[in-house]
mmCIF file of all heavy atoms in Angstrom:
data_model
loop_
_atom_site.group_PDB
_atom_site.id
_atom_site.type_symbol
_atom_site.label_atom_id
_atom_site.label_comp_id
_atom_site.label_asym_id
_atom_site.label_seq_id
_atom_site.Cartn_x
_atom_site.Cartn_y
_atom_site.Cartn_z
ATOM 1 N N ALA A 1 38.719 80.321 34.718
ATOM 2 C CA ALA A 1 37.605 79.686 34.062
ATOM 3 C C ALA A 1 36.323 80.023 34.846
ATOM 4 O O ALA A 1 36.378 80.520 35.898
ATOM 5 C CB ALA A 1 37.777 78.227 33.918
ATOM 6 N N THR A 2 35.163 79.636 34.297
ATOM 7 C CA THR A 2 33.892 79.844 35.026
ATOM 8 C C THR A 2 33.852 79.059 36.281
ATOM 9 O O THR A 2 34.540 78.051 36.384
ATOM 10 C CB THR A 2 32.736 79.472 34.084
ATOM 11 O OG1 THR A 2 32.718 78.065 33.954
ATOM 12 C CG2 THR A 2 32.785 80.215 32.745
ATOM 13 N N PRO A 3 33.049 79.485 37.253
ATOM 14 C CA PRO A 3 32.942 78.700 38.490
ATOM 15 C C PRO A 3 32.636 77.220 38.291
ATOM 16 O O PRO A 3 33.216 76.436 38.965
ATOM 17 C CB PRO A 3 31.809 79.458 39.232
ATOM 18 C CG PRO A 3 31.873 80.844 38.737
ATOM 19 C CD PRO A 3 32.267 80.706 37.282
ATOM 20 N N ILE A 4 31.722 76.936 37.352
ATOM 21 C CA ILE A 4 31.407 75.504 37.121
ATOM 22 C C ILE A 4 32.592 74.762 36.517
ATOM 23 O O ILE A 4 32.866 73.670 36.949
ATOM 24 C CB ILE A 4 30.151 75.433 36.221
ATOM 25 C CG1 ILE A 4 28.915 75.899 36.914
ATOM 26 C CG2 ILE A 4 29.938 74.024 35.759
ATOM 27 C CD1 ILE A 4 27.648 75.890 36.101
ATOM 28 N N GLU A 5 33.270 75.359 35.567
ATOM 29 C CA GLU A 5 34.386 74.698 34.988
ATOM 30 C C GLU A 5 35.502 74.456 36.036
ATOM 31 O O GLU A 5 36.105 73.420 36.016
ATOM 32 C CB GLU A 5 34.926 75.550 33.852
ATOM 33 C CG GLU A 5 34.070 75.657 32.654
ATOM 34 C CD GLU A 5 34.496 76.629 31.601
ATOM 35 O OE1 GLU A 5 35.152 77.638 31.998
ATOM 36 O OE2 GLU A 5 34.222 76.504 30.399
ATOM 37 N N ARG A 6 35.656 75.424 36.846
ATOM 38 C CA ARG A 6 36.675 75.285 37.912
ATOM 39 C C ARG A 6 36.329 74.132 38.896
ATOM 40 O O ARG A 6 37.166 73.362 39.303
ATOM 41 C CB ARG A 6 36.957 76.603 38.575
ATOM 42 C CG ARG A 6 37.799 77.563 37.774
ATOM 43 C CD ARG A 6 37.379 79.023 38.072
ATOM 44 N NE ARG A 6 37.268 79.288 39.457
ATOM 45 C CZ ARG A 6 36.586 80.386 39.934
ATOM 46 N NH1 ARG A 6 35.906 81.145 39.104
ATOM 47 N NH2 ARG A 6 36.613 80.645 41.240
ATOM 48 N N MET A 7 35.043 74.131 39.268
ATOM 49 C CA MET A 7 34.638 73.128 40.209
ATOM 50 C C MET A 7 34.728 71.703 39.568
ATOM 51 O O MET A 7 35.172 70.773 40.214
ATOM 52 C CB MET A 7 33.182 73.368 40.654
ATOM 53 C CG MET A 7 32.693 72.526 41.792
ATOM 54 S SD MET A 7 33.673 72.815 43.309
ATOM 55 C CE MET A 7 32.991 74.378 43.780
ATOM 56 N N VAL A 8 34.353 71.616 38.314
ATOM 57 C CA VAL A 8 34.444 70.315 37.632
ATOM 58 C C VAL A 8 35.836 69.843 37.554
ATOM 59 O O VAL A 8 36.174 68.686 37.800
ATOM 60 C CB VAL A 8 33.818 70.356 36.203
ATOM 61 C CG1 VAL A 8 34.122 69.128 35.465
ATOM 62 C CG2 VAL A 8 32.289 70.541 36.370
ATOM 63 N N SER A 9 36.798 70.780 37.243
ATOM 64 C CA SER A 9 38.222 70.433 37.170
ATOM 65 C C SER A 9 38.750 69.979 38.546
ATOM 66 O O SER A 9 39.537 69.020 38.665
ATOM 67 C CB SER A 9 39.010 71.590 36.638
ATOM 68 O OG SER A 9 38.613 71.944 35.330
ATOM 69 N N PHE A 10 38.329 70.688 39.550
ATOM 70 C CA PHE A 10 38.754 70.353 40.922
ATOM 71 C C PHE A 10 38.286 68.971 41.318
ATOM 72 O O PHE A 10 39.021 68.095 41.787
ATOM 73 C CB PHE A 10 38.171 71.379 41.925
ATOM 74 C CG PHE A 10 38.271 70.997 43.408
ATOM 75 C CD1 PHE A 10 39.443 70.878 43.981
ATOM 76 C CD2 PHE A 10 37.107 70.747 44.090
ATOM 77 C CE1 PHE A 10 39.559 70.518 45.342
ATOM 78 C CE2 PHE A 10 37.142 70.417 45.431
ATOM 79 C CZ PHE A 10 38.351 70.308 46.020
ATOM 80 N N ILE A 11 36.973 68.683 41.052
ATOM 81 C CA ILE A 11 36.432 67.321 41.420
ATOM 82 C C ILE A 11 37.130 66.239 40.589
ATOM 83 O O ILE A 11 37.503 65.170 41.131
ATOM 84 C CB ILE A 11 34.948 67.306 41.111
ATOM 85 C CG1 ILE A 11 34.249 68.250 42.117
ATOM 86 C CG2 ILE A 11 34.352 65.870 41.248
ATOM 87 C CD1 ILE A 11 32.717 68.424 41.804
ATOM 88 N N HIS A 12 37.405 66.542 39.334
ATOM 89 C CA HIS A 12 38.109 65.557 38.463
ATOM 90 C C HIS A 12 39.492 65.238 39.045
ATOM 91 O O HIS A 12 39.877 64.084 39.075
ATOM 92 C CB HIS A 12 38.175 66.095 37.066
ATOM 93 C CG HIS A 12 38.924 65.139 36.141
ATOM 94 N ND1 HIS A 12 38.373 63.945 35.668
ATOM 95 C CD2 HIS A 12 40.168 65.245 35.555
ATOM 96 C CE1 HIS A 12 39.218 63.354 34.857
ATOM 97 N NE2 HIS A 12 40.325 64.135 34.803
ATOM 98 N N GLU A 13 40.218 66.227 39.406
ATOM 99 C CA GLU A 13 41.557 65.989 39.909
ATOM 100 C C GLU A 13 41.559 65.174 41.195
ATOM 101 O O GLU A 13 42.391 64.273 41.391
ATOM 102 C CB GLU A 13 42.338 67.265 40.183
ATOM 103 C CG GLU A 13 43.721 67.121 40.696
ATOM 104 C CD GLU A 13 44.590 68.384 40.559
ATOM 105 O OE1 GLU A 13 44.179 69.313 39.883
ATOM 106 O OE2 GLU A 13 45.657 68.378 41.267
ATOM 107 N N VAL A 14 40.603 65.515 42.134
ATOM 108 C CA VAL A 14 40.477 64.767 43.354
ATOM 109 C C VAL A 14 40.142 63.322 43.122
ATOM 110 O O VAL A 14 40.722 62.432 43.709
ATOM 111 C CB VAL A 14 39.541 65.445 44.292
ATOM 112 C CG1 VAL A 14 39.235 64.572 45.558
ATOM 113 C CG2 VAL A 14 39.968 66.808 44.720
ATOM 114 N N ASN A 15 39.266 63.094 42.175
ATOM 115 C CA ASN A 15 38.731 61.689 41.881
ATOM 116 C C ASN A 15 39.726 60.845 41.117
ATOM 117 O O ASN A 15 39.569 59.628 41.112
ATOM 118 C CB ASN A 15 37.404 61.741 41.197
ATOM 119 C CG ASN A 15 36.254 62.196 42.154
ATOM 120 O OD1 ASN A 15 36.359 62.040 43.383
ATOM 121 N ND2 ASN A 15 35.130 62.604 41.604
ATOM 122 N N THR A 16 40.576 61.492 40.333
ATOM 123 C CA THR A 16 41.455 60.722 39.495
ATOM 124 C C THR A 16 42.899 60.567 39.936
ATOM 125 O O THR A 16 43.634 59.762 39.393
ATOM 126 C CB THR A 16 41.454 61.265 38.057
ATOM 127 O OG1 THR A 16 41.892 62.682 38.110
ATOM 128 C CG2 THR A 16 40.060 61.220 37.489
ATOM 129 N N LYS A 17 43.277 61.331 40.953
ATOM 130 C CA LYS A 17 44.599 61.262 41.450
ATOM 131 C C LYS A 17 44.646 60.622 42.869
ATOM 132 O O LYS A 17 43.666 60.848 43.607
ATOM 133 C CB LYS A 17 45.329 62.604 41.422
ATOM 134 C CG LYS A 17 45.526 63.232 40.076
ATOM 135 C CD LYS A 17 46.296 64.507 40.135
ATOM 136 C CE LYS A 17 46.560 65.042 38.705
ATOM 137 N NZ LYS A 17 47.296 66.318 38.739
ATOM 138 N N ASN A 18 45.752 60.040 43.255
ATOM 139 C CA ASN A 18 45.856 59.464 44.636
ATOM 140 C C ASN A 18 46.282 60.543 45.606
ATOM 141 O O ASN A 18 47.466 60.697 45.888
ATOM 142 C CB ASN A 18 46.892 58.326 44.579
ATOM 143 C CG ASN A 18 46.485 57.145 43.751
ATOM 144 O OD1 ASN A 18 45.251 56.822 43.731
ATOM 145 N ND2 ASN A 18 47.367 56.589 43.019
ATOM 146 N N VAL A 19 45.247 61.338 45.985
ATOM 147 C CA VAL A 19 45.617 62.466 46.817
ATOM 148 C C VAL A 19 45.531 62.233 48.310
ATOM 149 O O VAL A 19 46.004 63.062 49.109
ATOM 150 C CB VAL A 19 44.643 63.659 46.502
ATOM 151 C CG1 VAL A 19 44.772 64.006 44.974
ATOM 152 C CG2 VAL A 19 43.204 63.316 46.817
ATOM 153 N N PHE A 20 44.898 61.114 48.711
ATOM 154 C CA PHE A 20 44.702 60.868 50.136
ATOM 155 C C PHE A 20 45.792 59.935 50.747
ATOM 156 O O PHE A 20 46.345 59.066 49.979
ATOM 157 C CB PHE A 20 43.326 60.196 50.432
ATOM 158 C CG PHE A 20 42.168 61.154 49.998
ATOM 159 C CD1 PHE A 20 41.235 60.809 49.124
ATOM 160 C CD2 PHE A 20 42.093 62.438 50.523
ATOM 161 C CE1 PHE A 20 40.218 61.602 48.735
ATOM 162 C CE2 PHE A 20 41.063 63.303 50.147
ATOM 163 C CZ PHE A 20 40.120 62.873 49.284
ATOM 164 N N VAL A 21 46.025 60.025 52.006
ATOM 165 C CA VAL A 21 46.965 59.186 52.714
ATOM 166 C C VAL A 21 46.375 57.775 52.772
ATOM 167 O O VAL A 21 45.245 57.553 53.016
ATOM 168 C CB VAL A 21 47.173 59.679 54.140
ATOM 169 C CG1 VAL A 21 48.127 58.739 54.919
ATOM 170 C CG2 VAL A 21 47.734 61.084 54.176
ATOM 171 N N ARG A 22 47.240 56.741 52.438
ATOM 172 C CA ARG A 22 46.802 55.404 52.455
ATOM 173 C C ARG A 22 47.794 54.659 53.311
ATOM 174 O O ARG A 22 48.965 54.706 53.142
ATOM 175 C CB ARG A 22 46.816 54.806 51.020
ATOM 176 C CG ARG A 22 45.663 55.366 50.133
ATOM 177 C CD ARG A 22 44.331 54.789 50.652
ATOM 178 N NE ARG A 22 43.211 55.349 49.863
ATOM 179 C CZ ARG A 22 42.456 56.331 50.229
ATOM 180 N NH1 ARG A 22 42.718 56.970 51.373
ATOM 181 N NH2 ARG A 22 41.429 56.782 49.484
ATOM 182 N N ARG A 23 47.255 53.883 54.307
ATOM 183 C CA ARG A 23 48.056 53.060 55.143
ATOM 184 C C ARG A 23 47.238 51.891 55.668
ATOM 185 O O ARG A 23 46.043 51.928 55.686
ATOM 186 C CB ARG A 23 48.637 53.891 56.266
ATOM 187 C CG ARG A 23 47.628 54.297 57.325
ATOM 188 C CD ARG A 23 48.223 54.930 58.514
ATOM 189 N NE ARG A 23 48.579 56.319 58.295
ATOM 190 C CZ ARG A 23 49.817 56.775 58.227
ATOM 191 N NH1 ARG A 23 50.806 55.971 58.401
ATOM 192 N NH2 ARG A 23 50.024 58.062 58.048
ATOM 193 N N LEU A 24 47.926 50.874 56.154
ATOM 194 C CA LEU A 24 47.261 49.772 56.846
ATOM 195 C C LEU A 24 47.177 50.125 58.278
ATOM 196 O O LEU A 24 48.164 50.131 59.073
ATOM 197 C CB LEU A 24 48.063 48.506 56.692
ATOM 198 C CG LEU A 24 48.100 47.842 55.268
ATOM 199 C CD1 LEU A 24 48.946 46.562 55.278
ATOM 200 C CD2 LEU A 24 46.694 47.561 54.759
ATOM 201 N N ASN A 25 46.094 50.616 58.772
ATOM 202 C CA ASN A 25 45.882 51.087 60.130
ATOM 203 C C ASN A 25 45.877 49.866 61.045
ATOM 204 O O ASN A 25 45.602 48.714 60.598
ATOM 205 C CB ASN A 25 44.556 51.836 60.247
ATOM 206 C CG ASN A 25 44.645 53.213 59.538
ATOM 207 O OD1 ASN A 25 45.178 54.187 60.132
ATOM 208 N ND2 ASN A 25 44.187 53.322 58.360
ATOM 209 N N PRO A 26 46.120 50.089 62.337
ATOM 210 C CA PRO A 26 46.169 48.957 63.269
ATOM 211 C C PRO A 26 45.051 48.030 63.239
ATOM 212 O O PRO A 26 45.139 46.825 63.431
ATOM 213 C CB PRO A 26 46.329 49.673 64.657
ATOM 214 C CG PRO A 26 46.986 50.992 64.336
ATOM 215 C CD PRO A 26 46.409 51.396 63.031
ATOM 216 N N GLN A 27 43.786 48.615 63.114
ATOM 217 C CA GLN A 27 42.552 47.785 63.130
ATOM 218 C C GLN A 27 42.616 46.865 61.873
ATOM 219 O O GLN A 27 42.130 45.750 61.973
ATOM 220 C CB GLN A 27 41.334 48.671 63.111
ATOM 221 C CG GLN A 27 41.230 49.623 64.315
ATOM 222 C CD GLN A 27 42.084 50.825 64.170
ATOM 223 O OE1 GLN A 27 42.333 51.361 63.092
ATOM 224 N NE2 GLN A 27 42.551 51.377 65.293
ATOM 225 N N ILE A 28 43.021 47.346 60.710
ATOM 226 C CA ILE A 28 43.048 46.521 59.530
ATOM 227 C C ILE A 28 44.132 45.430 59.639
ATOM 228 O O ILE A 28 43.973 44.315 59.220
ATOM 229 C CB ILE A 28 43.275 47.391 58.280
ATOM 230 C CG1 ILE A 28 42.059 48.289 58.087
ATOM 231 C CG2 ILE A 28 43.447 46.490 57.053
ATOM 232 C CD1 ILE A 28 40.725 47.597 57.951
ATOM 233 N N ILE A 29 45.267 45.801 60.201
ATOM 234 C CA ILE A 29 46.344 44.842 60.457
ATOM 235 C C ILE A 29 45.867 43.685 61.363
ATOM 236 O O ILE A 29 46.073 42.523 61.102
ATOM 237 C CB ILE A 29 47.625 45.507 60.988
ATOM 238 C CG1 ILE A 29 48.289 46.464 59.997
ATOM 239 C CG2 ILE A 29 48.662 44.466 61.518
ATOM 240 C CD1 ILE A 29 49.407 47.236 60.563
ATOM 241 N N ALA A 30 45.161 44.120 62.398
ATOM 242 C CA ALA A 30 44.584 43.130 63.318
ATOM 243 C C ALA A 30 43.602 42.211 62.639
ATOM 244 O O ALA A 30 43.560 41.058 62.901
ATOM 245 C CB ALA A 30 43.937 43.796 64.553
ATOM 246 N N MET A 31 42.799 42.704 61.743
ATOM 247 C CA MET A 31 41.808 42.005 61.005
ATOM 248 C C MET A 31 42.546 40.887 60.122
ATOM 249 O O MET A 31 42.170 39.700 60.226
ATOM 250 C CB MET A 31 40.952 42.828 60.056
ATOM 251 C CG MET A 31 39.889 42.051 59.315
ATOM 252 S SD MET A 31 38.917 43.055 58.146
ATOM 253 C CE MET A 31 40.196 43.265 56.829
ATOM 254 N N PHE A 32 43.537 41.342 59.367
ATOM 255 C CA PHE A 32 44.220 40.357 58.559
ATOM 256 C C PHE A 32 44.945 39.286 59.448
ATOM 257 O O PHE A 32 44.968 38.095 59.091
ATOM 258 C CB PHE A 32 45.285 41.046 57.628
ATOM 259 C CG PHE A 32 44.658 41.792 56.518
ATOM 260 C CD1 PHE A 32 44.917 43.141 56.253
ATOM 261 C CD2 PHE A 32 43.684 41.163 55.731
ATOM 262 C CE1 PHE A 32 44.311 43.803 55.217
ATOM 263 C CE2 PHE A 32 43.073 41.908 54.649
ATOM 264 C CZ PHE A 32 43.418 43.172 54.436
ATOM 265 N N GLU A 33 45.531 39.697 60.502
ATOM 266 C CA GLU A 33 46.221 38.717 61.410
ATOM 267 C C GLU A 33 45.273 37.739 62.046
ATOM 268 O O GLU A 33 45.642 36.625 62.204
ATOM 269 C CB GLU A 33 47.025 39.520 62.456
ATOM 270 C CG GLU A 33 48.252 40.192 61.784
ATOM 271 C CD GLU A 33 49.050 40.948 62.869
ATOM 272 O OE1 GLU A 33 48.530 41.258 63.981
ATOM 273 O OE2 GLU A 33 50.235 41.310 62.599
ATOM 274 N N HIS A 34 44.129 38.217 62.414
ATOM 275 C CA HIS A 34 43.078 37.274 62.957
ATOM 276 C C HIS A 34 42.602 36.280 61.955
ATOM 277 O O HIS A 34 42.233 35.157 62.349
ATOM 278 C CB HIS A 34 41.919 38.067 63.595
ATOM 279 C CG HIS A 34 42.163 38.518 64.981
ATOM 280 N ND1 HIS A 34 42.931 39.657 65.257
ATOM 281 C CD2 HIS A 34 41.726 38.131 66.168
ATOM 282 C CE1 HIS A 34 42.986 39.893 66.581
ATOM 283 N NE2 HIS A 34 42.268 38.932 67.138
ATOM 284 N N LEU A 35 42.486 36.743 60.688
ATOM 285 C CA LEU A 35 41.852 35.915 59.700
ATOM 286 C C LEU A 35 42.851 35.042 58.951
ATOM 287 O O LEU A 35 42.471 34.003 58.317
ATOM 288 C CB LEU A 35 41.093 36.759 58.677
ATOM 289 C CG LEU A 35 39.872 37.548 59.196
ATOM 290 C CD1 LEU A 35 39.249 38.367 58.141
ATOM 291 C CD2 LEU A 35 38.835 36.591 59.818
ATOM 292 N N ALA A 36 44.142 35.419 58.976
ATOM 293 C CA ALA A 36 45.168 34.705 58.224
ATOM 294 C C ALA A 36 45.174 33.174 58.438
ATOM 295 O O ALA A 36 45.272 32.408 57.478
ATOM 296 C CB ALA A 36 46.552 35.331 58.505
#
């Protein structure tokens, strides 16, 4: 497809799919434990 069409498709896939690693990092765990 054209460069613009390909770029739009790429952005759409990144923004609509869960592509990134997700975890409760130590700092967030510590926050919840302090506030609980």
